[in-house]
Amino acid sequence: NALETPEQLHQIETFANQTALALERGLLAEEAHGAQVRIETERLRSSLLSSVSHDLCTPLSAITGAASAMLQSGPALGATDQRELLETIREEAERLGRLVQNLLDMTRLESGAVRARKEWHSLEEIVGTALGRLSHRLGERPVAVRLPEDMPLVPMDAVLIEQVFINLLDNAVKYTPDGSPIEIGARVNDAGVLVEVADRGPGFAPGAEQRVFEKFYRGSSPGRGSGLGLAICRGFVEVHGGRIWAENREGGGAAFRFTIPISENPPAIEATDG
């Protein structure tokens, strides 16, 4: 039998040893990759907890303090003082809600669980809903919405794109002077729809236009935030196949622009009898 010759047996043993070494290297590489993933996951968890611990404690402390003041003073508080304390509770509860929502959204993005459930929607309705949800935070600040009258329906996940608008508007409120205007516009191009949310604040420091979309990045404004809102905007836009970027505006201010692709003809908008 040819396999019983010393040369053949030695060759087979060599092949077997090389195969075993290759498999061992593959298993070691897989284990090393798994360990690296666990390290990165732990690093992200630590960074997340470090970044938001203060932001979670601050509104909770304000809510507890205002509620305690009302309970302890009771009828002794005047109507004005009571209203101020209730306003504090509402504002801090809304801030806490936004922070928790951002944490949940970022967790979904990091785990790859976000999928865009696209349906044909009116961009005007999405903008209106976002403005309605932020009406108290916007206050008397002027917001100009300029959308073309012939704007087609857009294929998008209404919940995700609404959150993009909410985060961009909240960012504008946070980093611009009280009472300064915000502008929302859109236009159709060859690839789909280009949307813009712009303000008249201080704009970006050199090189910050891309960094603002990084997790935990915070601008120099004293406004509070987790540093997750714009990173979530980028994630939600990208799951639609679009992209988002930021630029300084002529005359001062910042402009955030994002695209939503349209790969097929939108359905016609039926006219309603008036």
Side-chain angles (χ1 to χ4, degrees), residues 5 9 15 20 28 41-42 74 79 84 87 122 149 154 180 188 248:
T5 63
L9 289 173
F15 287 158
L28 290 174
T41 301
E42 181 62 25
E84 288 180 356
E87 285 286 348
S122 164
E149 293 183 0
V154 182
S180 62
V188 179
N248 282 317

Side-chain angles (χ1 to χ4, degrees), residues 4 49 56 68 169 174 200 206 236 265 267 271:
E4 294 179 356
L49 290 175
L56 285 170
S68 297
L169 290 167
K174 194 181 302 176
R200 286 299 181 187
F236 284 179
N265 293 329

Side-chain angles (χ1 to χ4, degrees), residues 101-119:
Q101 183 63 52
N102 279 344
L103 290 173
L104 293 173
D105 288 340
M106 182 53 65
T107 301
R108 292 169 59 214
L109 283 169
E110 291 288 343
S111 66
V114 176
R115 297 288 185 272
R117 299 178 180 178
K118 297 182 182 180
E119 296 181 359

Side-chain angles (χ1 to χ4, degrees), residues 209-271:
E209 294 92 331
Q210 292 303 316
R211 292 194 64 199
V212 294
F213 296 104
E214 297 175 2
K215 293 189 297 291
F216 311 125
Y217 179 82
R218 306 180 194 217
S220 57
S221 167
R224 287 179 287 172
S226 63
L228 294 175
L230 295 179
I232 290 167
C233 288
R234 180 176 63 182
F236 284 179
V237 169
E238 288 179 350
V239 298
H240 281 79
R243 69 185 188 95
I244 187 170
W245 68 97
E247 298 176 359
N248 282 317
R249 300 179 70 189
E250 291 186 9
F256 289 88
R257 301 184 177 96
F258 65 91
T259 59
I260 304 176
I262 300 179
S263 58
E264 56 183 299
N265 293 329
I269 301 178
E270 296 183 2

Side-chain angles (χ1 to χ4, degrees), residues 1-14:
N1 191 330
L3 292 179
E4 294 179 356
T5 63
E7 293 80 5
Q8 289 291 333
L9 289 173
H10 178 70
Q11 189 175 31
I12 292 173
E13 289 175 355
T14 301

Side-chain angles (χ1 to χ4, degrees), residues 107-206:
T107 301
R108 292 169 59 214
L109 283 169
E110 291 288 343
S111 66
V114 176
R115 297 288 185 272
R117 299 178 180 178
K118 297 182 182 180
E119 296 181 359
W120 295 99
H121 290 282
S122 164
L123 190 63
E124 182 178 7
E125 291 182 1
I126 302 297
V127 172
T129 303
L131 291 173
R133 287 182 57 188
L134 279 182
S135 59
H136 176 69
R137 182 141 169 77
L138 290 167
E140 299 300 321
R141 184 185 293 260
V143 180
V145 180
R146 301 185 179 91
L147 302 177
E149 293 183 0
D150 60 348
M151 173 67 68
L153 297 177
V154 182
M156 56 184 166
D157 186 314
V159 174
L160 300 186
I161 297 300
E162 178 186 316
Q163 193 62 46
V164 170
F165 277 112
I166 287 173
N167 286 4
L168 292 178
L169 290 167
D170 182 65
N171 186 78
V173 171
K174 194 181 302 176
Y175 292 104
T176 61
D178 292 341
S180 62
I182 299 174
E183 301 169 29
I184 301 174
R187 61 182 175 86
V188 179
N189 57 26
D190 293 339
V193 173
L194 172 63
V195 182
E196 178 180 272
V197 178
D199 61 54
R200 286 299 181 187
F204 302 105

Side-chain angles (χ1 to χ4, degrees), residues 36-85:
Q36 184 64 32
V37 169
R38 289 191 293 272
I39 291 172
E40 289 297 320
T41 301
E42 181 62 25
R43 183 193 63 78
L44 176 62
R45 188 182 70 86
S46 299
S47 298
L48 186 62
L49 290 175
S50 175
S51 176
V52 305
S53 58
H54 177 267
D55 298 295
L56 285 170
C57 291
T58 301
L60 286 172
S61 297
I63 292 169
T64 302
S68 297
M70 294 189 69
L71 288 171
Q72 291 172 5
S73 300
L77 285 174
T80 301
D81 291 334
Q82 289 185 22
R83 183 173 182 81
E84 288 180 356
L85 290 171

